[in-house]
Amino acid sequence: MISLQHQLRRQWLLTLLLLMLPLLWLADYGVRQLTTHTVLSRLQHDADSLIAALTQDTQGNWQVDDSRLGALYQRVYSGHYFAIRDQQGTDLRSRSLWDKEPPAIQLASGDIRHWQQPGIQGDRLDEQWLSQAQGIRVQNHDFTLWVAEDIAPLQSELNRYRLAALALLVFALLALMLIQRRQLSRAFARLEPLQQQLRELRFGERDGLNAAAGQYPQEVQPLAEEIDRLLSLLQQRVSRSRNALGNLAHEMKRPLQQLQLLAEQLDPQHQQQQREALQRLRQLVERELKRARIVGMSSPGRQTRLSEDLPPLLQVLQQLYPQTSIRAQFDHSVVLPQDRDDMLELLGNLLDNACKYAAGEILLNVRHDDKEWLISVCDQGPGIAAEARQQLLLRGTRLDEAGAGGSGLGLAMVSDIVSSYGGRLQLQANQPQGLCVIVTLPATAGR
């Protein structure tokens, strides 16, 4: 599962890069264009000075008045160069070129070109020329004037600025990511109360999130309200379902009595079959009625507080089975994390079986350690043979249908509840006689 924080951080970083990289490229392009235009402007100024310094001597030879030029054109490999040529063999060039040949190019008067090319290499030089060539006409004589400047120092300086800009960009991204991470952590920290309240809800320590109080962030408020509505709906459905089962079982008592009367009018063979079917049906009805009495008012999702929930259950069983004595041993301060209705149904069925099949004293013991809860119900009745106990615990065996061995009604539901919590159900012989049903449940209430 992808972390929401990581997903937001990745999308934010991509968005920032998509915005920053074009801006960085545009800034670099602008600086390069500004540098080039500045150098070209200077070259044009030098070209104008050269045209002004171009003269013709008395023999008709063309020459450049060096006194009108800057000293940079006189110093060898100074980085500033020029050459003036025509098609009649005139070849005037700056002393700074020394033994290097200028590019051979001929342009018509008025044409102008500029380009970059490698300049003088070697002798600790690694020049990069920005050249400009233009066709000029002086005293009706056409020349091609070439001027160049070494821009390698400017490019080196530009590269240093690029590295500094990249370093600043990386630093800014890291700083923004840290700031965003802190902001996200603080924003998600506001959801911790919701997590705590959901945990309390799972353990039955509260009935809902109470979203109507508006205590959640605006983005989470609709979710909390939907959870509250869903919990309310589920609680109503579970309560209606359990109440309906109890009502249905109660309403079936009268038709059963009528069927019993009708069965007595049948011939002896069919009368026996009818009575067996009615007996089976009556047991099911009694089970649902007993289950409704045991659970009482349904409150799904609530934890089991033994000190509050167990005494009413024991009182009901004592009324149903006055010949038995139920002794309960448990820590009155503990709270079972499992659902109250499930635990009351589990304990009620185990105690009901013990009361029904084993008169006398019945011992209920509930204890726990760090890993699990241990619930045992032991009686002093006839017990179940070891082979039958193993048969009852086989996977797929319907425990209710195997009641002939003394398991009693409700043990199948106990097995279902234990399985739903990932627990274990064991049947052991009690000493000196009887049966012990031992239920082991995880310390947490995960289902």
Side-chain angles (χ1 to χ4, degrees), residues 155-360:
Q155 289 184 334
S156 178
E157 192 70 18
L158 181 60
N159 288 335
R160 282 196 290 272
Y161 278 114
R162 285 171 176 164
L163 290 175
L166 285 175
L168 184 61
L169 176 63
V170 172
F171 175 78
L173 287 176
L174 290 176
L176 290 174
M177 287 181 66
L178 290 175
I179 293 174
Q180 192 219 27
R181 181 177 182 179
R182 184 176 180 181
Q183 290 176 339
L184 286 176
S185 298
R186 294 178 63 182
F188 281 104
R190 297 186 63 190
L191 299 180
E192 291 181 358
L194 176 62
Q195 183 182 5
Q196 175 64 24
Q197 290 167 4
L198 287 173
R199 188 182 297 110
E200 294 173 357
L201 188 65
R202 182 163 63 90
F203 290 157
E205 296 175 355
R206 57 187 306 149
D207 297 328
L209 297 178
N210 194 22
Q215 56 184 329
Y216 299 106
Q218 184 178 1
E219 293 79 5
V220 184
Q221 181 68 23
L223 175 62
E225 292 175 355
E226 287 298 327
I227 292 176
D228 264 351
R229 281 194 284 270
L230 179 61
L231 287 173
S232 177
L233 182 62
L234 290 177
Q235 289 172 353
Q236 292 174 7
R237 285 181 178 176
V238 172
S239 296
R240 283 201 301 268
S241 176
R242 289 182 171 173
N243 291 336
L245 282 176
N247 293 336
L248 177 62
H250 181 75
E251 293 298 326
M252 286 184 66
K253 295 180 69 175
R254 185 182 299 279
L256 283 174
Q257 292 174 353
Q258 295 174 351
L259 289 174
Q260 182 68 32
L261 293 175
L262 292 175
E264 293 176 356
Q265 301 176 8
L266 299 175
D267 58 85
Q269 181 181 357
H270 289 89
Q271 198 174 90
Q272 180 61 29
Q273 295 175 353
Q274 187 76 359
R275 284 175 177 170
E276 291 177 357
L278 288 174
Q279 180 62 24
R280 176 66 175 164
L281 187 58
R282 187 176 292 107
Q283 287 177 343
L284 294 175
V285 170
E286 290 297 331
R287 184 181 72 176
E288 292 303 325
L289 286 174
K290 193 178 302 176
R291 180 181 179 186
R293 286 195 296 269
I294 289 173
V295 174
M297 184 63 71
S298 178
S299 56
R302 179 170 171 261
Q303 287 180 307
T304 308
R305 302 179 185 277
L306 293 179
S307 60
E308 298 177 4
D309 299 323
L310 196 53
L313 172 63
L314 298 178
Q315 186 178 3
V316 170
L317 291 171
Q318 287 289 182
Q319 293 174 354
L320 293 174
Y321 305 100
Q323 75 280 9
T324 61
S325 172
I326 303 175
R327 186 159 57 93
Q329 295 178 341
F330 61 90
D331 184 352
H332 287 247
S333 63
V334 300
V335 177
L336 270 71
Q338 288 79 14
D339 180 81
R340 169 188 176 273
D341 292 357
D342 289 342
M343 290 300 101
L344 285 183
E345 191 168 345
L346 183 147
L347 293 172
N349 281 293
L350 291 179
L351 291 172
D352 181 67
N353 280 340
C355 293
K356 183 185 297 181
Y357 296 99

Side-chain angles (χ1 to χ4, degrees), residues 242 291 338-339 341-347 349 410-423 439 441 447:
R242 289 182 171 173
R291 180 181 179 186
Q338 288 79 14
D339 180 81
D341 292 357
D342 289 342
M343 290 300 101
L344 285 183
E345 191 168 345
L346 183 147
L347 293 172
N349 281 293
L411 198 53
M413 288 189 294
V414 172
S415 178
D416 292 341
I417 294 173
V418 173
S419 298
S420 69
Y421 284 101
V439 173
L441 297 174
R447 306 183 64 167

